Amino acid sequence: SLFRLKDLEVAKLGDSDVHVKMLAAPINPADINMIQGTYAILSPLPAVGGNEGVGEVLEVGHRVTALKPGDWVIPAGAGLGTWRTQGVFPEEMLLKVPSDIPVLCAATLSVNPCTAYRMLTDFETLAPGDSVIQNAANSGVGQAVIQIAKAFGVKTINVVRDRPDLPKLVERLMALGADHVITEEMLRKPEMKDIFKSIPKPRLALNCVGGKSTTEMLRHLQPKGTMVTYGGMAKQPVMVPVSAFIFRDVRLRGFWMTQWRKDHAQDQESLAGMMDTLYQLIRRGQLAAPACTEVPLQDYKAALEATMKPFTSSKQILLL
């Protein structure tokens, strides 16, 4: 195994540093990819894993103005290394979050709901009654897309892989506000026409899989619609029929939350606007944490194994 649980000295608190006691941190697929060395950011080793989580401020250096002991913080970017009980971080690497939102919501906020929000707002101007289609709909991003779209009045068509407990999954996604949940196989069935009797064809498709799934999803996109790729779980390229480009002029785009944060580092308004919207949705009960399994840090091996299993419907959250 690439992992060890180690006791380390907490670094000395510098003038612009913040001493944080971590509360909870999820294990995301991208965290695993980073460790396997198949991701675009790689930390120099030895490194602490984890890109997401929430902590409580214990102490701040005397130049720190925006944070005080007792505040809750989440990472401002990727690569923080959240799988630890305590850490000392420069102030600019942290983002204050309200402590009146549930701890699991805060712990899972900085990657998936932000990704979902940006993809729903940055590529197509969606109005209430419009629809989006997405694959891997039971992923962390997928669950956030369903809930945020619902709050915006946008309909969702959600594609999942067929599995033994499919009815249970369908029920869970419908309870989150999904309008339709279908399997990959159904994408190429004539019954798809029935869905489009009640809702318009999607202007936006969100792709986290690649391969056949993407090509099938693209068929249902409106002319001049956009497909945004933000993951490639099938490890296969995105294949697009020439006719989709020529006769329907579809657009293919990519999205990576880490890049968005870099591009908007000077644009505090965009970030604050997004975060405020997400806090409001959480407070109104319109955006919940994904289905979670809480695991004490010492059981991290079991949590990592569970994350790698196929058809995981629950996110492993390390309790620190």
Side-chain angles (χ1 to χ4, degrees):
S1 158
L2 298 158
F3 287 95
R4 309 266 181 291
L5 195 54
K6 282 188 76 158
D7 285 318
L8 302 171
E9 288 287 314
V10 175
K12 214 159 73 56
L13 190 73
D15 292 351
S16 307
D17 288 341
V18 180
H19 182 187
V20 177
K21 169 177 170 266
M22 290 304 297
L23 301 171
I27 301 178
N28 291 318
D31 300 328
I32 307 276
N33 295 342
M34 257 173 99
I35 293 146
Q36 290 167 337
T38 58
Y39 204 62
I41 346 172
L42 302 173
S43 306
L45 299 172
V48 178
N51 287 296
E52 197 178 32
V54 62
E56 184 186 331
V57 174
L58 294 178
E59 198 186 348
V60 300
H62 66 77
R63 286 218 192 112
V64 174
T65 52
L67 294 168
K68 59 183 191 310
D71 284 347
W72 277 17
V73 289
I74 62 173
L80 192 67
T82 53
W83 301 343
R84 61 173 104 208
T85 54
Q86 294 188 20
V88 169
F89 308 106
E91 178 183 19
E92 70 269 12
M93 289 175 78
L94 302 167
L95 197 63
K96 182 179 166 174
V97 296
S99 52
D100 67 334
I101 61 175
V103 71
L104 293 182
C105 284
T108 54
L109 191 59
S110 64
V111 179
N112 297 329
C114 290
T115 299
Y117 178 88
R118 294 263 58 104
M119 291 195 303
L120 286 170
T121 50
D122 290 356
F123 297 93
E124 288 282 341
T125 311
L126 299 171
D130 282 343
S131 80
V132 303
I133 188 166
Q134 64 166 344
N135 53 25
N138 60 316
S139 66
V141 170
Q143 292 176 58
V145 164
I146 290 170
Q147 296 172 84
I148 296 168
K150 169 97 173 165
F152 291 172
V154 170
K155 310 280 183 204
T156 56
I157 302 159
N158 300 281
V159 186
V160 296
R161 286 181 298 172
D162 199 5
R163 64 194 63 214
D165 58 347
L166 185 66
K168 217 162 66 187
L169 176 62
V170 172
E171 197 182 319
R172 199 159 64 82
L173 297 183
M174 296 298 274
L176 286 180
D179 294 283
H180 296 275
V181 182
I182 59 174
T183 61
E184 300 272 1
E185 291 69 38
M186 235 201 97
L187 271 177
R188 54 187 90 100
K189 297 255 167 75
E191 291 91 293
M192 281 301 286
K193 289 197 186 68
D194 298 341
I195 289 181
F196 298 122
K197 282 176 186 155
S198 57
I199 63 173
K201 287 207 154 192
R203 306 224 329 254
L204 181 66
L206 305 177
N207 166 47
C208 180
V209 179
K212 220 187 311 190
S213 167
T214 313
T215 314
E216 297 292 345
M217 208 163 54
L218 209 55
R219 280 189 191 177
H220 304 292
L221 202 57
Q222 269 191 38
K224 294 198 183 330
T226 305
M227 185 170 77
V228 183
T229 292
Y230 68 99
M233 282 159 39
K235 297 188 168 57
Q236 285 160 356
V238 168
M239 305 283 276
V240 182
V242 169
S243 59
F245 274 133
I246 299 176
F247 302 122
R248 289 195 294 126
D249 191 16
V250 297
R251 274 178 293 202
L252 265 64
R253 301 286 306 272
F255 183 77
W256 188 31
M257 193 63 217
T258 302
Q259 189 61 47
W260 186 92
R261 289 188 194 281
K262 281 194 191 117
D263 294 347
H264 294 79
Q266 304 313 313
D267 177 7
Q268 285 310 300
E269 268 171 56
S270 287
L271 180 64
M274 166 171 72
M275 297 313 288
D276 284 341
T277 304
L278 295 174
Y279 302 147
Q280 280 169 14
L281 292 175
I282 291 167
R283 289 192 185 108
R284 285 192 214 128
Q286 292 178 300
L287 178 61
C292 291
T293 304
E294 301 176 40
V295 182
L297 180 60
Q298 57 269 28
D299 299 340
Y300 73 93
K301 283 194 174 115
L304 286 165
E305 269 165 34
T307 301
M308 316 273 270
K309 280 205 183 91
F311 303 125
T312 40
S313 280
S314 186
K315 194 170 277 298
Q316 305 291 309
I317 306 261
L318 299 171
L319 294 184
L320 308 157

